[in-house]
């Protein structure tokens, strides 16, 4: 589908609505499951396996994203979207029937395999039916779905588990997914262009092994122990080396050579890797500050994160207009500056800081992230040819997921190292101050020391986020200084 024919597609608003429904289905899955997990654990047991319910979903999703992107270029967007969404819905239904935690983890892995298709392919479909000048503003609509899901998800999850069976948190997505598929089947005119290529199965296998070993090592480092983590990292390095050698000689590389030769495509992927890492510094550790250091409630912590989720889609929508009036580079640089400002402001937090300070700083950070992320995505989509647009869009999503895993691991290590140096005799000090019952048992002098040292340790985490934001400013300079056309 050429850029000229994209402007001639009818019923584009219905295609946009279908894509937003699919994106909402994937976005709300994250927040609604997190809210319901305490209830699920109470019924199924297996608290020691709690982390795998989320990690396995992220793992299979991240591994499958680039594969779906490549298959969409080879076999068509619509076909691969239906396959991926179908797997996601089947996995959702099975999760609701899980008899124990082991089966739930297995079904979540299956669900993640389908989820890998939803985000990259909805963005690719929108890029196919809207011309470059309109893509930025339309992507803002897609981004707004995440802000809505951040608010609706926890409320819906809490209401469902309180009044009905927890299985409904998985099944509520089924009608949404079916409606989205039916609408795209009816209104999306799949291009007749087909690439006369074949799927690089060997490359896909090496990629899965590399990413799987790396993400398991990073996400489960504490549970696996140092020996197993080192072994997995060595395996990831060996598999990654094999992947690079294979890609150099393959007639049909999994990631097209254009991605490595284009400064814009490389900058877009590097930028999203950094955004994913910086985002986890806020999402994972700002609630720790609010509940641990400030003694706030989970609602206050959730409200602060919601401010970041609200700032992201607002900035995504505004960045579309800003790109058309200025350039990709100016918009990305402005977003990076806001990201630096927001992460820098986190360093001013102290024990007596009012709760609204954290929410305001999170909003500034979300605004910077939304502006950068949308700009990187649109610049990449407008640079890539139709034949590789699917894999290029998928590579952007993949980079952000990988960045999130790396950011979680690195900042978690920074926090743990600081706590070990500052509170060498304390056993899990963060858990002690966040637990209301344990906190009451600590004498005031000891508690004061612990809170001060935890605050200093978290400042180092925020400082790492600020450094990542500064690096994103440098990456933004490689984005073209031109308008969408």
């Amino acid at each position: 589908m050429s850029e000229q024919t994209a402007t001639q597609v009818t019923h584009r608003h219905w295609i946009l609505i279908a894509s937003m429904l699919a994106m909402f289905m994937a976005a709300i899955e994250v927040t609604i499951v997190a809210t319901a997990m305490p209830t699920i654990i109470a019924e199924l047991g297996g608290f020691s396996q709690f982390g795998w319910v989320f990690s396995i979903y992220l793992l299979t999703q991240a591994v499958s994203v680039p594969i779906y992107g490549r298959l969409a270029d080879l076999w068509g967007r619509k076909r691969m979207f239906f396959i991926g969404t179908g797997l996601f819905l089947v996995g959702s239904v099975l999760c609701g029937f899980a008899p124990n935690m082991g089966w739930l983890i297995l079904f979540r892995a299956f669900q993640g395999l389908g989820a890998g298709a939803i985000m990259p392919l909805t963005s690719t479909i929108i890029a196919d039916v809207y011309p470059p000048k309109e893509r930025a503003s339309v992507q803002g609509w897609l981004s707004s779905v995440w802000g809505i899901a951040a608010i609706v998800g926890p409320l819906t999850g809490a209401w469902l588990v309180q009044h009905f069976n927890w299985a409904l948190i998985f099944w509520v997505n089924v009608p949404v997914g079916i409606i989205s598929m039916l609408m795209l089947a009816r209104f999306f005119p799949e291009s007749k262009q087909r690439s006369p290529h074949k799927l690089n199965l060997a490359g896909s296998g090496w990629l899965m092994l590399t990413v799987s070993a790396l993400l398991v090592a990073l996400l489960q480092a504490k549970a696996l122990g140092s020996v197993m983590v080192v072994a997995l990292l060595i395996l990831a390095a060996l598999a990654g080396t094999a992947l690079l050698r294979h890609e150099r000689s393959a007639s049909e590389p999994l990631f097209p050579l254009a991605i490595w030769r284009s400064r814009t495509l490389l900058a877009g992927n590097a930028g999203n890797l950094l955004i994913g890492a910086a985002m986890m510094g806020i999402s994972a550790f700002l609630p720790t500050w609010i509940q641990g250091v400030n003694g706030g409630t989970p609602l206050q912590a959730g409200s602060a994160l919601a401010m970041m989720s609200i700032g992201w889609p607002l900035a995504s929508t505004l960045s579309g207009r800003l790109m058309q009036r200025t350039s990709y580079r100016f918009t990305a640089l402005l977003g990076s500056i806001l990201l630096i400002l927001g992460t820098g402001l986190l360093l001013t937090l102290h024990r007596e800081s009012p709760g609204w300070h954290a929410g305001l700083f999170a909003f500034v950070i979300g605004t910077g992230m939304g502006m950068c992320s949308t700009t990187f995505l649109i610049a990449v989509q407008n640079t890539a040819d139709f034949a590789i647009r699917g894999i290029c869009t998928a590579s952007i999503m993949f980079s952000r997921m990988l960045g999130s895993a790396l950011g979680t691991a690195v900042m978690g290590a920074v926090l743990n190292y600081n706590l070990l140096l500052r509170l060498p005799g304390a056993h899990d000090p963060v858990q002690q101050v966040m637990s209301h019952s344990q906190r009451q048992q600590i004498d005031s002098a000891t508690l004061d020391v612990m809170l001060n040292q935890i605050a200093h340790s978290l400042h180092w985490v925020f400082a790492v986020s600020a450094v990542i934001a500064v690096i994103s400013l440098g990456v933004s300079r490689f984005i073209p200084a031109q308008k969408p056309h």
Side-chain angles (χ1 to χ4, degrees):
M1 186 180 296
S2 66
E3 309 299 357
Q4 183 176 4
T5 56
T7 62
Q8 302 170 352
V9 175
T10 57
H11 306 298
R12 290 190 303 178
H13 59 290
W14 290 115
I15 298 173
L16 175 59
I17 292 173
S19 299
M20 291 178 68
L21 285 174
M23 191 74 80
F24 178 79
M25 177 178 64
I28 201 174
E29 178 68 23
V30 179
T31 55
I32 198 172
V33 172
T35 305
M37 274 312 296
T39 303
I40 296 175
I41 291 173
E43 183 168 330
L44 298 184
F47 179 77
S48 60
Q49 300 171 306
F50 168 79
W52 278 103
V53 175
F54 298 98
S55 298
I56 197 68
Y57 179 84
L58 174 63
L59 174 61
T60 54
Q61 183 184 26
V63 167
S64 61
V65 162
I67 297 174
Y68 279 116
R70 188 56 170 160
L71 288 174
D73 289 330
L74 300 179
W75 298 343
R77 293 30 164 153
K78 185 185 291 188
R79 179 187 300 180
M80 296 316 303
F81 176 82
F82 288 166
I83 292 175
T85 304
L87 289 175
F88 178 84
L89 295 180
V90 171
S92 298
V93 172
L94 292 174
C95 283
F97 287 112
N100 54 54
M101 191 62 72
W103 280 104
L104 179 61
I105 292 171
L106 177 63
F107 295 149
R108 284 283 285 175
F110 193 78
Q111 193 183 27
L113 284 175
I118 296 173
M119 287 192 293
L121 294 192
T122 50
S123 295
T124 304
I125 288 170
I126 291 301
D128 286 348
V129 300
Y130 283 89
K133 286 185 177 181
E134 299 179 52
R135 284 175 193 159
S137 59
V138 174
Q139 289 290 350
W141 282 98
L142 286 180
S143 296
S144 68
V145 170
W146 290 91
I148 297 172
I151 299 171
V152 173
L155 297 176
T156 303
W159 181 73
L160 287 175
V161 297
Q162 182 177 354
H163 298 284
F164 303 97
N165 190 281
W166 60 264
L168 286 176
I169 68 163
F170 295 106
W171 297 343
V172 72
N173 275 329
V174 175
V176 178
I178 292 175
I179 293 172
S180 175
M181 294 171 70
L182 290 175
M183 291 177 69
L184 286 178
R186 171 66 178 84
F187 297 113
F188 178 53
E190 179 72 272
S191 171
K192 299 301 181 183
Q193 298 183 35
R194 286 289 186 274
S195 301
H197 308 307
K198 59 183 180 180
L199 180 64
N200 184 348
L201 294 177
S204 300
W206 285 120
L207 175 68
M208 291 181 67
L209 183 58
T210 302
V211 177
S212 298
L214 178 62
L215 290 185
V216 170
L218 294 176
L219 295 173
Q220 300 295 324
K222 188 174 181 180
L224 294 174
S226 58
V227 175
M228 183 61 70
V229 169
V230 171
L232 286 171
L233 290 176
I234 292 174
L235 176 60
L238 293 175
T241 302
L243 173 63
L244 290 176
R245 289 179 179 175
H246 175 80
E247 289 288 286
R248 289 173 182 170
S249 60
S251 58
E252 298 287 348
L254 185 63
F255 291 99
L257 295 178
I259 293 182
W260 312 111
R261 293 173 178 171
S262 170
R263 188 173 73 170
T264 302
L265 299 182
L266 277 176
N269 280 279
N272 269 273
L273 183 79
L274 294 170
I275 289 171
M279 179 176 64
M280 292 311 297
I282 314 307
S283 300
F285 300 103
L286 187 58
T288 302
W289 178 281
I290 295 173
Q291 293 181 248
V293 176
N294 289 143
T297 64
L299 178 60
Q300 290 173 322
S303 298
L305 290 185
M307 291 301 295
M308 184 176 72
S309 299
I310 292 171
W312 188 305
L314 287 177
S316 296
T317 303
L318 293 175
S319 63
R321 299 179 182 179
L322 188 59
M323 268 184 270
Q324 294 173 0
R325 295 185 178 182
T326 56
S327 67
Y328 297 125
R329 184 182 297 172
F330 178 86
T331 309
L333 288 172
L334 179 58
S336 296
I337 291 172
L338 288 172
L339 188 55
I340 294 171
L341 175 62
T343 52
L345 286 172
L346 289 179
L347 295 174
T348 67
L349 290 174
H350 53 84
R351 288 178 54 186
E352 288 74 34
S353 296
W356 65 268
H357 279 192
L360 176 62
F361 301 162
F363 179 82
V364 175
I365 292 169
T367 302
M369 287 180 175
M371 195 166 288
C372 287
S373 180
T374 301
T375 304
F376 290 142
L377 176 61
I378 298 304
V380 166
Q381 288 183 331
N382 290 354
T383 301
D385 294 332
F386 175 85
I388 60 171
R389 187 181 292 155
I391 184 59
C392 287
T393 302
S395 69
I396 289 288
M397 310 293 179
F398 174 75
S399 296
R400 192 189 304 167
M401 291 179 188
L402 185 59
S404 296
L406 291 171
T408 302
V410 170
M411 294 182 201
V414 169
L415 177 62
N416 291 332
Y417 179 72
N418 272 274
L419 290 174
L420 185 63
L421 289 179
R422 298 173 186 275
L423 298 169
H427 176 68
D428 204 351
V430 174
Q431 176 63 32
Q432 291 185 49
V433 300
M434 290 187 67
S435 171
H436 183 68
S437 59
Q438 293 184 48
R439 187 170 181 144
Q440 287 182 325
Q441 297 175 6
I442 305 173
D443 64 86
S444 58
T446 303
L447 179 62
D448 188 66
V449 172
M450 290 179 65
L451 291 177
N452 284 333
Q453 298 307 321
I454 291 173
H456 288 312
S457 300
L458 285 171
H459 273 152
W460 275 98
V461 173
F462 298 149
V464 173
S465 292
V467 170
I468 294 173
V470 172
I471 298 174
S472 74
L473 182 66
V475 171
S476 298
R477 296 189 62 190
F478 291 95
I479 298 295
Q482 64 186 44
K483 303 177 183 179
H485 57 79

